[in-house]
């Protein structure tokens, strides 16, 4: 699979971008924990041109100082689409990226062809507790994120100790995540009440066993967005694209090509 | 030398099986463990200890601020300070608080300190703290904004005390169209400001730039603390063009004076471990939310060297690390002398009630210190 890592210049800020594959454009909006090209992106790139821009503050991307809330990240993402020449794209977002995708579809409907929300943050469901990833030890984080916390995938992605050479990137990424996810109460309340305005055909994909954002949050998205369909990935936690990359890619590509 | 009697006002009644049942004395510890009747006695005893400190000749009495925990029962230190303004008459009163970023209305801090300063006839020392990482959870404050909010709130408060009102303060986090604090502070232009810090680069630069006294945090090795003081001196000399005087450096120390070295240790040690293993039981993830400490500070080599008191396991380690100053009067005098010279400090922030230490034992400790240690220290290190 052709895969390139490049640095874009967007309004004076550096944006790290992974891209690969051929076909209609697919904009993949990453979550707070992982912002590299993974096997799932290869699967998607088999039939799509996949763009994975790294959000400000994460990885090698600059511009964190200009991000105060999700609204700023929406503006930034539109800038990235402009820079990539993506007048319109299918948008797939995981977790934080799912929240971003929903906000993008709400504010810029002409830019989003089809929308896929995966274990997406951003909504409120009264009475269903969300996990708190910031308070979690690595072991607890694995339990919140993965169907099988003892799997090699889990211990690789969330190790007990961060290797020293990755420490700075991890610390900066956690800071960037906290900036957006610490207490987005107001944004969540408003997004939940605005979901009915989303016009893009929408697929909601959720891990059956997501303990960070339980399935009720997926149902809230599916019920709130007109015509949205919910697909539950069995034996998956918060990260279906990484836990079941092939199955996940199948579900997503079938929807996009329907 | 300014000698402070500082109080944390801990909850001393955590059950014996607390460590088995709870992973934290902060944030998530059920408040059903607090017994209001016992709490009433505690507040009375603790305030009496601070009042005794004035009688015993301390220069300053101090209270602090922490939220949702059994470590210290002063979510609002200004309430304690208010009581103390009327229970004392000469001693200075240090509030170390206030945790500025926790407040959406820092003008309230400006107002309350001004009230306290007028009520006390100009005896207030105003602390300004960032607040612990865990308090980002307690007050639902985004930790990645805490340092910005701290600086902005500081600027707002100092301007509110010093500039004629009303005026408009327009910042990123705070925007007040009418800053006009009544009453004005008794001390002019404003009460002294002391800043406690864990040694982060940001705080050291902040205090160096403004020449504020810097008070270390008490729970890591003495040598690590001294490195922070060295850093402050180096930064002030190289970037601000001045030599930091001892009066700008504060050493917080748990102090216990017994009749002999042996009896001192026997009496003190259980309360020390209560503090280290119960009161400061605090998971790393609570303590270090993302952004509360800058990436730059976390990556500094010294950061890894620090060993928080809750992680030590033997009295030998406690003693060698200088986590507490314990012994006969002679021993305590000697340790303080050496420590003051190494730290280069002009402020000793003594903590005499530690963990579960009972009232009578605390008072006896304070009296032995005041009678047998304080005079020698004052003589050797005059103000």
């Amino acid at each position: 699979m052709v895969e390139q890592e490049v640095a874009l210049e967007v309004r004076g800020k550096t944006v790290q971008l992974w891209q690969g594959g051929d076909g209609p454009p697919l904009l993949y909006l990453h979550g707070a924990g992982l912002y590299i090209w993974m096997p799932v992106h290869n699967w998607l790139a088999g039939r799509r041109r996949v763009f994975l821009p790294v959000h400000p503050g994460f990885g090698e991307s600059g511009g964190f100082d200009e991000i105060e809330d999700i609204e700023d990240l929406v503006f930034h993402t539109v800038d990235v689409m402009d820079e990539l020449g993506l007048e319109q794209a299918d948008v797939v977002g995981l977790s934080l990226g799912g929240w971003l995708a929903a906000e993008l579809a709400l504010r810029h409907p002409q830019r989003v062809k089809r929308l896929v929300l995966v274990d997406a943050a951003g909504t409120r469901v009264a009475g269903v507790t969300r996990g708190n990833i910031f308070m979690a030890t690595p072991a607890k984080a694995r339990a919140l994120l993965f169907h099988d916390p003892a799997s090699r995938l889990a211990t690789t992605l969330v190790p007990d100790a961060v290797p020293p050479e990755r420490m700075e990137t991890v610390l900066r990424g956690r800071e960037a995540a906290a900036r957006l996810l610490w207490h987005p109460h107001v944004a969540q309340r408003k997004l939940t009440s605005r979901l009915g305005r989303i016009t893009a055909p929408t697929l909601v994909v959720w891990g059956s066993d997501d303990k960070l954002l339980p399935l009720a949050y997926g149902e809230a998205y599916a019920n709130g967005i007109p015509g949205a369909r919910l697909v539950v990935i069995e034996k998956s936690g918060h990260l279906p694209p990484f836990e079941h990359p092939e199955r996940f890619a199948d579900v997503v590509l079938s929807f996009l090509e329907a | 030398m300014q000698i402070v009697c500082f109080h944390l006002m801990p909850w001393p009644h955590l059950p014996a099986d607390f460590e088995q049942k709870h992973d934290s004395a902060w944030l998530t510890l059920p408040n059903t463990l607090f017994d209001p009747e016992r709490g009433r006695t505690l507040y009375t005893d603790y305030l009496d200890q601070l009042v005794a400190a004035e009688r015993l000749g301390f220069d300053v009495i101090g209270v602090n601020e922490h939220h949702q925990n059994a470590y210290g029962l002063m979510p609002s230190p200004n309430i304690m300070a208010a009581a103390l303004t009327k229970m004392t008459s000469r001693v200075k009163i240090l509030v170390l608080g206030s945790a500025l970023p926790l407040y959406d209305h820092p003008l309230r801090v400006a107002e309350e300190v001004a009230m306290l300063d007028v009520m006390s006839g100009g005896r207030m020392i105003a602390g300004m703290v960032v607040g612990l990482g865990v308090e980002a959870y307690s007050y639902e404050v985004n930790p990645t904004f805490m340092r910005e909010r701290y600086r902005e709130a500081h600027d707002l408060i100092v301007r509110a005390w010093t500039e004629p009102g009303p005026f408009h303060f327009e910042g990123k986090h705070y925007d007040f169209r009418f800053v006009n604090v009544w009453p004005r502070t008794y001390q002019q232009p404003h009460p002294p400001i002391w800043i406690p810090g864990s040694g982060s680069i940001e705080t050291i630069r902040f205090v160096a730039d403004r020449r504020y006294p810097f008070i270390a945090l008490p729970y890591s090795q003495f040598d690590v603390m001294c490195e922070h003081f060295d850093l402050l001196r180096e930064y002030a000399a190289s970037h601000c063009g001045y030599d930091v005087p001892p009066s700008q450096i504060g050493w917080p120390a748990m102090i216990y004076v017994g009749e002999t070295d042996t009896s001192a240790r026997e009496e003190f040690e259980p309360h020390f471990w209560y503090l280290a293993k119960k009161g400061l039981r605090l998971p790393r993830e609570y303590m270090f939310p993302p952004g509360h400490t800058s990436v730059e500070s976390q990556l500094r080599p010294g950061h890894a060297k620090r060993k928080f008191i809750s992680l030590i396991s033997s009295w030998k380690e406690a003693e060698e690390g200088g986590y507490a100053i314990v012994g006969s009067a002679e021993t305590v005098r000697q340790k303080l002398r050496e420590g003051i010279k190494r730290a280069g400090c002009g402020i000793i922030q003594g903590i005499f009630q530690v963990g579960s230490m009972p009232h009578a034992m605390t008072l006896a400790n304070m009296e032995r210190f005041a009678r047998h240690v304080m005079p020698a220290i004052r003589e050797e290190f005059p103000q």
Side-chain angles (χ1 to χ4, degrees):
Chain A
M1 190 59 54
V2 181
E3 170 215 318
Q4 292 176 290
E5 186 196 345
V6 297
L8 292 183
E9 199 68 16
V10 179
R11 286 192 195 256
K13 296 160 290 193
T14 303
V15 174
Q16 184 189 6
L17 173 81
W18 304 83
Q19 57 187 353
D22 288 307
L26 187 161
L27 180 66
Y28 180 94
L29 300 175
H30 69 78
L34 202 61
Y35 23 96
I36 54 172
W37 189 271
M38 292 286 285
V40 67
H41 303 114
N42 283 335
W43 287 107
L44 294 170
R47 304 220 290 267
R48 293 274 158 166
R49 178 71 178 164
V50 176
F51 298 94
L52 192 172
V54 177
H55 309 320
F58 294 90
E60 305 294 318
S61 289
F64 177 55
D65 288 347
E66 292 170 32
I67 303 294
E68 288 177 36
D69 55 29
I70 196 75
E71 177 105 53
D72 296 323
L73 193 53
V74 173
F75 276 117
H76 170 81
T77 303
V78 170
D79 291 342
V80 171
M81 291 183 79
D82 289 344
E83 186 64 32
L84 291 171
L86 299 177
E87 199 44 53
Q88 193 182 52
D90 292 325
V91 178
V92 178
L94 167 66
S95 192
L96 166 65
W99 177 16
L100 172 61
E103 299 274 3
L104 182 71
L106 200 57
R107 288 174 167 72
H108 303 276
Q110 73 287 2
R111 308 301 293 262
V112 180
K113 191 168 175 218
R114 283 177 174 247
L115 177 66
V116 181
L117 305 177
V118 190
D119 295 78
T123 52
R124 297 188 359 156
V125 178
V128 182
T129 307
R130 294 185 290 271
N132 189 327
I133 198 73
F134 299 118
M135 285 174 77
T137 59
K140 282 186 184 161
R142 287 193 291 270
L144 283 172
L145 293 172
F146 296 92
H147 171 71
D148 178 4
S151 65
R152 207 173 139 198
L153 180 75
T155 53
T156 306
L157 295 184
V158 185
D160 280 325
V162 177
E165 70 276 9
R166 294 206 57 231
M167 186 56 94
E168 182 170 352
T169 306
V170 169
L171 290 174
R172 291 197 190 285
R174 282 170 52 81
E175 192 168 334
R179 174 65 54 86
L180 294 160
L181 293 168
W182 191 264
H183 58 166
H185 310 310
V186 175
Q188 283 172 331
R189 176 166 54 75
K190 291 186 179 180
L191 175 63
T192 308
S193 66
R194 289 170 179 168
L195 289 177
R197 298 168 184 268
I198 291 179
T199 51
T202 301
L203 176 70
V204 179
V205 182
W206 224 263
S208 61
D209 194 23
D210 187 345
K211 293 181 202 73
L212 191 66
L213 294 170
L215 188 54
Y217 286 84
E219 288 162 355
Y221 264 118
N223 293 335
I225 299 172
R229 194 156 61 82
L230 174 66
V231 172
V232 176
I233 306 283
E234 295 300 328
K235 295 189 178 170
S236 183
H238 185 64
L239 306 170
F242 312 135
E243 295 177 284
H244 300 290
E246 190 178 357
R247 186 149 38 112
F248 174 82
D250 263 359
V251 166
V252 171
L253 291 170
S254 313
F255 167 72
L256 296 181
E257 289 162 8
Chain B
M1 185 64 58
Q2 288 201 79
I3 302 181
V4 183
C5 179
F6 195 66
H7 218 303
L8 306 169
M9 304 205 177
W11 177 251
H13 303 300
L14 289 174
D17 63 356
F18 157 74
E19 288 102 312
Q20 284 80 56
K21 288 193 175 157
H22 304 282
D23 61 6
S24 176
W26 298 67
L27 186 68
T28 48
L29 181 72
N31 65 358
T32 46
L33 288 176
F34 180 86
D35 170 0
E37 272 308 322
R38 285 174 134 177
R40 183 179 180 213
T41 306
L42 276 179
Y43 278 137
T44 304
D45 290 350
Y46 288 160
L47 285 169
D48 284 351
Q49 288 162 23
L50 288 171
V51 171
E54 176 176 71
R55 191 175 68 243
L56 292 169
F58 285 83
D59 302 295
V60 181
I61 55 178
V63 290
N64 84 336
E65 168 175 350
H66 286 299
H67 298 271
Q68 302 189 343
N69 71 93
Y71 161 86
L73 301 175
M74 288 184 283
S76 177
N78 289 344
I79 288 179
M80 288 312 184
L84 290 165
T85 61
K86 298 294 102 182
M87 296 167 83
T88 60
S89 57
R90 302 182 316 277
V91 74
K92 289 178 191 157
I93 301 171
L94 165 67
V95 173
L96 215 63
S98 296
L100 305 184
L102 303 187
Y103 303 116
D104 286 336
H105 295 277
L107 270 186
R108 177 73 178 222
V109 175
E111 290 173 339
E112 288 186 0
V113 173
M115 286 174 71
L116 290 166
D117 203 41
V118 174
M119 286 166 69
S120 67
R123 291 188 283 135
M124 291 306 297
I125 300 172
M128 295 191 188
V129 311
V130 175
L132 294 181
V134 64
E135 283 154 347
Y137 292 103
S138 296
Y139 264 51
E140 200 64 53
V141 173
N142 192 316
T144 72
F145 284 132
M146 277 174 90
R147 302 223 166 237
E148 277 184 18
R149 282 166 66 95
Y150 175 73
R151 278 165 191 251
E152 204 174 301
H154 161 274
D155 293 349
L156 168 59
I157 291 166
V158 171
R159 285 188 57 192
W161 284 340
T162 53
E163 288 180 27
F167 64 86
H168 183 179
F169 182 93
E170 193 170 20
K172 176 174 169 184
H173 298 279
Y174 303 110
D175 190 342
F176 291 94
R177 284 182 295 171
F178 301 96
V179 180
N180 193 20
V181 169
W182 283 73
R184 293 173 64 220
T185 57
Y186 191 91
Q187 299 174 82
Q188 289 294 321
H190 60 78
I193 293 171
W194 289 12
I195 308 286
S198 60
S200 74
I201 296 162
E202 298 77 35
T203 301
I204 282 172
R205 288 176 188 157
F206 182 83
V207 297
D209 289 343
R210 292 163 182 78
R211 301 189 184 225
Y212 291 151
F214 172 72
I215 316 296
L217 295 188
Y219 302 129
S220 58
Q221 302 96 313
F222 178 79
D223 286 342
V224 170
M225 176 187 80
C226 288
E227 284 170 22
H228 297 154
F229 296 152
D230 292 341
L231 207 61
L232 170 60
R233 281 185 282 259
E234 283 159 22
Y235 181 84
S238 61
H239 289 76
C240 314
Y242 72 94
D243 293 326
V244 173
S247 60
Q248 206 183 325
I249 288 182
W251 172 20
M254 288 180 263
I255 298 172
Y256 190 81
V257 183
E259 295 297 338
T260 66
D261 286 351
T262 311
S263 70
R265 178 185 158 181
E266 273 173 22
E267 287 157 15
F268 178 74
E269 204 182 334
H271 308 297
F272 175 82
W273 291 119
Y274 180 96
L275 168 77
K277 298 297 177 188
K278 291 183 193 280
L280 287 169
R281 186 167 170 79
L282 181 57
R284 213 195 125 67
E285 289 71 23
Y286 290 21
M287 192 66 175
F288 295 106
H292 176 263
T293 304
S294 73
V295 173
E296 190 186 1
S297 282
Q298 289 186 70
L299 293 174
R300 213 176 52 193
H303 192 72
K305 202 164 68 181
R306 168 188 298 174
K307 192 162 186 184
F308 196 63
I309 191 172
S310 59
L311 301 174
I312 66 171
S313 50
S314 71
W315 182 249
K316 184 164 174 280
E317 207 178 343
E319 221 166 19
E320 286 174 2
Y323 289 85
I325 306 297
V326 179
S328 67
E330 174 54 34
T331 300
V332 171
R333 277 198 300 271
Q334 192 51 36
K335 285 182 175 177
L336 281 177
R337 268 192 206 109
E338 287 166 17
I340 290 165
K341 284 180 191 157
R342 167 66 186 98
C345 64
I347 299 168
I348 293 281
Q349 184 190 283
I351 300 167
F352 297 88
Q353 192 286 336
V354 171
S356 50
M357 191 179 291
H359 185 51
M361 189 187 283
T362 304
L363 284 175
N365 176 28
M366 290 167 59
E367 275 166 27
R368 283 190 292 264
F369 176 85
R371 187 170 311 155
H372 304 303
V373 178
M374 199 146 67
I377 298 297
R378 284 200 197 290
E379 196 182 311
E380 192 168 344
F381 305 96
Q383 287 227 18

